[in-house]
């Protein structure tokens, strides 16, 4: 769960970032940690495992204006962090329609990002991302009711295939975009196969379609990652919901959006020992330049060419993330954010899959999707990530350099990026920057994308195959992260009051 900061150091850090007000209420959270009651489920809804069903029910049934007090009371009575995390995720899976995969469904998509950011938070603030996610679920739940009150129903048990047929049935149903057949096949697959075997066809389906600006890949990766935290025993309803979302064609003729067909052919051209290439910063720059102007198909073909020349896959991933960060610099917003978060999810799938073709596809799709985001942004600012440079003045690594960076964001994001470059160039800690960024998000974030972007860009900084790219990725993030001068989120103020009311 992370390292507990000494109280004096924690308060100094908070003050430097403009977070001193109300911290006493959060300190009350230090002592709370597992429990629940039984609950009934109607026949129109899928029943979850008995140990998590009661938690999901109080999350579903507590009014939004009272849910923080209820959560604090449950935690104080012994509810575990894992149970709260699992209850939140499964409440979204059962109650929020994953079509389109995005919008109100961010109540599900954001859970793992909130969890990841919370793990590096000071002990007394570790629950804050889940408080935010709890309110976000209640908002999405209300929207879903307004739009028809969708719920994940029970499985048609009479049609669930036998274990030895389930995987083939699932693949056939997904290829045919057959929702009903896919639903029962998922149940059979979960019940008769291990976790890795069950996920393998999902990885392939998760990378095939860029529709919903990349959310299908994001949903696939986040489903597995959250299940890793809450337990694979909860997989069946999650993966049924995932299959339903992956088969959303949004009224179009069923079929993938993006260069998937071309990349299936491209994957066959890549040599068998493609994983053994050498890191090549020059190839990274070359592919980055291609991404700035080429079509999805041409960019993917260039990636194949580089792999055939013996360039390591990591150098290509570097180009993808540098390009997505460049889009953040040009026009921070929904499209640019998803250029990063989808790349992060495809990168995760690349590492999680055990199928060679799926791994190739994850990389080629990541390359091919970037021009699609570029074209949708059409930014009037032709800035490049190459233009990032150090601040002219020397940034001291003593005192409060990280606080200075986040105080600069509010008036001049470019200057904050330059200070970041200078700070890291002089030996400053990237972890200190992203720890501060996480706390900015906890206290001042107002949108799911604050959490999703923060978690994704930090992971990609750590994953860069060439460490010299990390300072540029961290600097570019300053064009989107919240600054110290932004007011605290009203939601966090309300959560702090709830903690004080219940535990003060």
């Amino acid at each position: 769960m992370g390292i507990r900061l000494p109280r004096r150091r924690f308060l100094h850090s908070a003050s430097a970032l403009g977070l001193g007000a109300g911290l006493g209420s959060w300190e009350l959270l230090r002592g709370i940690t597992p429990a629940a009651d039984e609950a009934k489920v109607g026949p129109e809804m899928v029943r979850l495992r008995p140990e998590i069903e009661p938690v999901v029910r109080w999350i579903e049934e507590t009014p939004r204006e009272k849910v923080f007090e209820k959560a604090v009371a449950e935690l104080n009575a012994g509810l575990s962090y894992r149970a709260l995390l699992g209850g939140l995720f499964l409440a979204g899976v059962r109650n929020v329609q994953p079509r389109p995969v995005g919008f109100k469904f961010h109540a599900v998509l954001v859970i793992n990002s909130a969890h990841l950011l919370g793990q590096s938070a000071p002990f007394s603030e570790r629950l804050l991302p889940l408080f935010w996610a709890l309110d976000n679920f209640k908002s999405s739940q209300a929207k879903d009711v307004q739009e028809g009150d969708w719920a994940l129903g029970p499985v048609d048990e009479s049609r669930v295939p036998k274990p030895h047929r389930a995987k083939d049935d699932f693949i056939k149903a997904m290829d045919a975009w057959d929702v009903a057949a896919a639903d029962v096949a998922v149940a059979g697959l979960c019940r008769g196969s291990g976790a890795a075997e069950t996920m393998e066809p999902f990885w392939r389906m998760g990378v095939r379609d860029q529709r919903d600006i990349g959310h299908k890949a994001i949903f696939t990766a986040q489903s597995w990652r959250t299940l890793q935290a809450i337990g694979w025993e909860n997989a069946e309803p999650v993966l049924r919901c995932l299959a339903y979302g992956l088969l959303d064609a949004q009224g179009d003729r069923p079929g993938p959006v993006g260069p998937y067909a071309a990349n299936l052919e491209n994957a066959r051209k890549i040599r068998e020992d493609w994983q053994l290439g050498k890191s090549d910063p020059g190839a990274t720059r070359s592919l980055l330049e291609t991404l700035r102007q080429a079509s999805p198909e041409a960019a993917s073909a260039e990636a194949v060419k580089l792999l055939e020349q013996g360039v390591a896959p990591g150098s290509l991933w570097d180009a993808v993330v540098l390009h997505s960060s460049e889009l953040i610099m040009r026009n921070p917003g929904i499209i640019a954010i998803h250029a990063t978060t989808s790349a992060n999810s495809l990168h995760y799938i690349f590492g999680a899959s055990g199928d060679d073709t799926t791994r190739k596809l994850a990389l080629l799709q990541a390359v091919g999707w970037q021009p699609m985001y570029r074209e949708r942004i059409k930014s009037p600012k032709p800035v490049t990530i190459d233009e990032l440079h150090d601040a002219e003045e020397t940034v001291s690594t003593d005192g409060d350099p990280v606080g200075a960076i986040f105080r600069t964001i509010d008036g001049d994001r470019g200057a904050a990026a330059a200070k970041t470059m200078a700070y890291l160039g002089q030996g400053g800690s990237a972890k200190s920057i992203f720890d501060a960024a996480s706390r900015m998000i906890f206290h001042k974030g107002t949108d799911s994308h604050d959490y999703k972007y923060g978690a994704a860009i930090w992971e990609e900084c750590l994953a860069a195959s060439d460490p010299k790219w990390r300072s540029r990725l961290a600097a570019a993030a300053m064009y989107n992260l919240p600054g110290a001068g932004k007011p605290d989120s009203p939601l966090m103020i309300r959560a702090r009051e709830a903690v004080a009311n219940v535990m003060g």
Side-chain angles (χ1 to χ4, degrees):
M1 295 288 282
I3 299 172
R4 186 180 301 191
L5 282 174
R7 179 174 173 80
R8 180 179 297 178
R9 182 178 161 203
F10 165 59
L11 293 176
H12 172 75
S13 172
S15 177
L17 293 168
L19 301 176
L23 286 176
S25 299
W26 298 136
E27 289 291 298
L28 296 172
L29 289 175
R30 283 181 172 270
I32 53 183
T33 31
D37 310 304
E38 263 302 332
K40 295 181 179 179
V41 178
E44 74 285 356
M45 299 176 74
V46 64
R47 183 173 180 85
L48 306 173
R49 292 179 63 84
E51 65 271 19
I52 198 66
E53 180 67 50
V55 183
V56 175
R57 291 299 282 184
W58 71 252
I59 291 172
E60 291 173 339
E61 295 174 355
T62 304
R64 184 179 184 183
E65 64 274 13
K66 297 180 180 179
V67 76
F68 287 157
E69 284 83 358
K70 175 65 174 175
V72 174
E74 291 286 338
L75 288 162
N76 198 34
L79 180 70
S80 70
Y81 173 91
R82 185 176 185 233
L84 179 58
L85 180 73
L88 257 172
F89 188 63
L90 293 168
V93 163
R94 185 160 78 180
N95 288 274
V96 183
Q97 186 175 25
R99 294 189 171 192
V101 186
F103 296 97
K104 65 183 182 295
F105 197 68
H106 276 102
V108 173
L109 299 176
V110 77
I111 295 294
N112 182 65
S113 299
H115 165 64
L116 287 179
L117 290 179
Q119 298 314 289
S120 62
F123 189 73
S124 62
E125 298 188 346
R126 192 153 301 152
L127 287 168
L128 300 196
L130 293 195
F131 279 124
W132 186 90
L134 185 59
D135 182 82
N136 192 44
F137 164 72
K138 298 306 294 187
S139 173
S140 293
Q141 181 186 29
K143 290 177 184 176
D144 191 83
V145 170
Q146 293 171 359
E147 295 172 8
D149 202 10
W150 179 90
L152 182 67
V155 176
D156 182 351
E157 297 290 347
S158 67
R159 295 187 60 204
V160 175
K162 289 183 168 50
H164 69 281
R165 288 178 37 208
K167 185 175 181 179
D168 286 343
D169 284 4
F170 175 68
I171 293 170
K172 289 175 184 176
M174 295 298 286
D175 285 341
W177 294 67
D178 184 334
V179 174
D183 186 60
V184 293
V186 170
L189 188 58
C190 287
R191 297 172 191 180
S193 302
E197 183 181 2
T198 298
M199 283 306 300
E200 203 58 67
F202 276 100
W203 296 138
R204 178 68 63 89
M205 299 304 162
V207 307
R208 72 175 175 172
D209 188 9
Q210 202 260 359
R211 192 184 274 109
D212 289 326
I213 59 173
H215 276 125
K216 291 184 177 183
I218 294 168
F219 187 13
T220 305
Q222 297 292 60
S223 293
W224 168 258
R225 299 184 73 170
T226 310
L227 284 168
Q228 294 292 95
I230 69 173
W232 180 254
E233 64 271 17
N234 298 297
E236 185 176 315
V238 174
L239 298 187
R240 287 179 59 218
C241 182
L242 173 59
Y244 181 67
L246 291 176
L247 291 177
D248 182 22
Q250 293 187 346
D252 301 333
R253 182 176 178 178
V257 167
Y260 184 70
N263 280 332
L264 276 173
E265 290 298 317
N266 283 329
R268 298 186 182 103
K269 301 173 185 176
I270 299 172
R271 65 188 194 179
E272 291 183 356
D273 62 347
W274 62 284
Q275 309 98 324
L276 301 178
K278 295 182 179 179
S279 180
D280 186 344
T284 298
R285 293 189 186 92
S286 174
L287 183 56
L288 177 58
E289 186 58 38
T290 298
L291 292 173
R292 291 168 178 159
Q293 54 192 332
S295 68
E297 292 75 13
S300 299
E302 179 65 15
V304 173
K305 177 181 174 183
L306 292 170
L307 290 171
E308 285 295 287
Q309 291 173 354
V311 176
S315 293
L316 277 60
W317 282 111
D318 289 346
V320 169
V321 181
L322 287 165
H323 184 266
S324 72
S325 294
E326 186 171 288
L327 296 183
I328 285 285
M329 293 172 61
R330 290 173 56 191
N331 191 4
I334 294 300
I335 303 302
I337 287 170
H338 288 94
T340 296
T341 55
S342 69
N344 173 249
S345 294
L346 290 168
H347 202 173
Y348 185 86
I349 292 171
F350 173 85
S353 174
D355 181 86
D356 194 63
T357 299
T358 299
R359 299 186 75 229
K360 293 174 184 176
L361 284 168
L363 175 54
L364 295 176
Q365 290 286 84
V367 172
W369 287 8
Q370 286 299 310
M372 300 175 73
Y373 293 114
R374 182 199 72 216
E375 286 303 299
R376 289 190 64 176
I377 284 177
K378 295 198 178 294
S379 170
K381 297 188 295 184
V383 296
T384 70
I385 202 165
D386 304 324
E387 296 171 19
L388 286 174
H389 55 81
D390 296 354
E392 292 183 3
E393 72 275 11
T394 299
V395 178
S396 173
T397 54
D398 298 324
D400 179 26
V402 174
I405 289 170
F406 282 89
R407 290 192 296 273
T408 303
I409 282 178
D410 302 291
D412 189 337
R413 290 186 178 272
K419 287 183 177 182
T420 301
M421 291 280 290
Y423 171 69
L424 295 176
Q426 295 164 27
S429 165
K431 183 179 185 302
S432 295
I433 289 177
F434 279 96
D435 283 350
S438 296
R439 301 188 67 198
M440 290 291 103
I441 292 168
F442 298 165
H443 289 270
K444 302 171 187 296
T446 56
D447 189 89
S448 299
H449 298 98
D450 292 326
Y451 286 84
K452 286 172 57 189
Y453 176 77
I457 192 59
W458 175 225
E459 277 196 338
E460 293 307 317
C461 275
L462 292 177
S465 70
D466 190 330
K468 70 182 177 185
W469 301 127
R470 291 176 187 164
S471 60
R472 293 192 180 275
L473 296 176
M478 298 304 148
Y479 284 82
N480 191 67
L481 293 170
K486 184 176 180 179
D488 276 4
S489 162
L491 178 63
M492 279 299 118
I493 294 172
R494 186 160 66 83
R496 189 166 60 222
E497 292 171 350
V499 172
N501 290 338
V502 176
M503 301 186 64

